[in-house]
């Protein structure tokens, strides 16, 4: 993956391994139950950083799929829960949701589901993709 224009690739010591990304994502989702003011922007920014770390490492396995699924669910819920909040940007949230879904669809296209539960998860996210 290439960095954004004007940005350098991060140093290897700055990139978190997949196990750390899983724990970070779970922690951020736990924070989502906090009051919205101030938490949405923080959580969205940190989830964006998780996605960036996975992209730099080209992680596209089942563990990455589960992280993307969590991120998609978060942004879908934020779209409903916070639509009328002043500090919430529907455009920004939709952009993050769409990018996570595209990455997830790419993983799905290049791998087979491990079991029936994963088949059901894929159906759920393909439906989200069709709705957007």
């Amino acid at each position: 993956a290439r960095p954004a224009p004007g940005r350098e690739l991060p140093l290897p010591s700055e990139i978190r391994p997949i196990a750390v990304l899983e724990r970070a994502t779970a922690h951020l989702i736990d924070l989502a139950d906090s009051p919205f003011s101030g938490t949405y922007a923080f959580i969205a920014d940190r989830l964006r950083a998780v996605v960036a770390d996975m992209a730099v490492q080209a992680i596209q396995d089942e563990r990455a799929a589960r992280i993307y699924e969590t991120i998609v669910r978060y942004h879908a819920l934020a779209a409903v829960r916070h639509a009328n909040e002043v500090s919430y940007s529907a455009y920004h949230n939709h952009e993050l949701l769409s990018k996570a879904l595209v990455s997830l669809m790419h993983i799905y296209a290049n791998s087979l589901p491990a079991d029936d539960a994963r088949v059901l998860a894929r159906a759920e996210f393909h439906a989200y993709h069709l709705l957007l």
Side-chain angles (χ1 to χ4, degrees):
R2 293 186 347 221
R7 297 187 111 180
E8 298 290 323
L9 280 172
L11 297 171
S13 63
E14 296 173 342
I15 300 172
R16 298 167 290 179
I18 189 72
V20 174
L21 297 174
E22 289 171 322
R23 288 193 306 272
T25 301
H27 174 69
L28 291 166
I29 296 307
D30 287 344
L31 293 176
D33 288 334
S34 302
F36 178 70
S37 61
T39 59
Y40 171 79
F42 173 77
I43 293 169
D45 180 64
R46 297 293 82 220
L47 290 175
R48 185 201 49 73
V50 166
V51 168
D53 281 2
M54 289 193 299
V56 167
Q57 298 175 74
I59 301 172
Q60 297 184 354
D61 60 10
E62 195 65 37
R63 293 169 81 180
R66 289 175 193 245
I67 291 172
Y68 280 117
E69 289 168 357
T70 301
I71 292 170
V72 167
R73 284 185 182 119
Y74 171 75
H75 287 297
L77 181 60
V80 173
R81 184 185 284 177
H82 307 298
N84 296 323
E85 298 284 340
V86 173
S87 61
Y88 170 78
S89 168
Y91 175 81
H92 184 248
N93 189 68
H94 186 270
E95 183 178 342
L96 294 170
L97 171 62
S98 296
K99 286 180 179 181
L101 262 175
V102 166
S103 296
L104 182 59
M105 292 300 111
H106 183 73
I107 292 171
Y108 286 169
N110 293 306
S111 66
L112 295 173
D115 55 35
D116 289 344
R118 301 308 305 147
V119 170
L120 292 175
R122 285 178 180 222
E124 174 189 351
F125 291 96
H126 279 290
Y128 293 154
H129 191 248
L130 289 172
L131 289 172
L132 289 180

